[in-house]
């Protein structure tokens, strides 16, 4: 009985230690993701290069971004002044799901519900996949947003036709 109790105590301690480590890791991952999303909201072009992994790949409806420069280019070209509201985060290991309202305030005002998966690697944004209803953009917003196409994958698009 003593041996069984000692085993149970050891297993409980090991589980608590593992759970504590995992919670700390998930907290770090969440804070990293929040920092990255905040930099995008602010269009902080000085901070973003240090937050994006060199092997970054991002997917959005109609667009694929490969590398830091492609993501920075699109961020620079995004014509909207916007911020995020009604944010929910779900964290699992090194991945973060974010659900939010993108609220554009200029030059066109509108609100768009979005969802994104972000994979953090080496403390940086390694992979993202963002989904939203492209039909929810007002016509005047669609006309402005059309300029944000990644040029790094035009060859791949041409070859896939």
């Amino acid at each position: 009985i003593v041996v069984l109790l000692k085993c149970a105590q050891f297993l409980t301690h090991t589980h608590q230690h593992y759970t504590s480590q995992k919670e700390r890791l998930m907290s770090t991952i969440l804070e990293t993701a929040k920092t990255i999303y905040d930099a995008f909201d602010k269009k902080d072009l000085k901070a973003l290069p240090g937050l994006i992994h060199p092997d970054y790949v991002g997917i959005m409806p109609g667009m694929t971004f490969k590398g830091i420069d492609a993501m920075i280019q699109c961020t620079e070209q995004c014509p909207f002044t916007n911020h995020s509201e009604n944010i929910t985060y779900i964290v699992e290991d090194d991945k973060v799901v974010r659900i939010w309202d993108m609220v554009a305030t200029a030059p066109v005002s509108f609100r768009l519900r979005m969802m994104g998966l972000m994979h953090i690697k080496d403390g940086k944004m390694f992979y993202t996949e963002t989904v939203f209803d492209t039909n929810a953009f007002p016509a005047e917003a669609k006309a402005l947003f059309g300029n944000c196409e990644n040029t790094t994958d035009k060859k791949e698009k041409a070859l896939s036709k």
Side-chain angles (χ1 to χ4, degrees):
I1 293 177
V2 172
V3 171
L4 289 176
L5 288 174
K6 292 213 180 253
C7 285
Q9 288 173 336
F10 174 76
L11 290 173
T12 300
H13 174 73
T14 301
H15 176 72
Q16 289 171 343
H17 179 70
Y18 171 77
T19 301
S20 175
Q21 281 182 320
K22 186 173 182 177
E23 287 172 354
R24 279 195 301 276
L25 173 64
M26 288 171 54
S27 176
T28 300
I29 293 295
L30 177 58
E31 291 308 312
T32 300
K34 286 180 175 182
T35 298
I36 293 166
Y37 280 117
D38 187 53
F40 277 113
D41 272 357
K42 294 176 180 173
K43 291 188 181 181
D44 188 343
L45 301 175
K46 291 185 192 280
L48 281 171
L51 300 170
I52 301 172
H53 195 280
D55 298 323
Y56 170 74
V57 174
I59 299 170
M60 295 176 80
M63 295 179 269
T64 300
F65 307 99
K66 294 179 182 171
I68 296 169
D69 291 342
M71 192 67 237
I72 297 300
Q73 177 186 358
C74 186
T75 303
E76 285 177 318
Q77 293 176 359
C78 181
F80 307 118
T81 300
N82 61 277
H83 63 277
S84 300
E85 292 181 0
N86 303 318
I87 305 167
T88 300
Y89 292 98
I90 302 167
V91 182
E92 183 62 38
D93 297 325
D94 56 359
K95 294 169 188 68
V96 177
V97 172
R98 183 183 197 234
I99 304 165
W100 75 102
D101 290 341
M102 189 270 290
V103 181
T105 55
V108 180
S109 296
F110 65 97
R111 178 181 294 266
L112 183 67
R113 194 71 174 155
M114 302 178 84
M115 183 176 76
L117 167 68
M118 180 184 291
H119 179 179
I120 305 290
K121 182 177 179 181
D122 302 327
K124 297 182 178 199
M125 181 174 70
F126 177 68
Y127 174 84
T128 57
E129 189 162 352
T130 305
V131 294
F132 51 86
D133 181 3
T134 57
N135 293 321
F137 278 93
E140 56 273 20
K142 284 182 185 179
L144 295 170
F145 197 65
N147 296 327
C148 189
E149 183 177 350
N150 177 16
T151 57
T152 63
D153 66 348
K154 284 184 179 178
K155 181 179 176 184
E156 289 178 24
K157 285 182 182 179
L159 292 174
S160 67
K161 292 183 180 181

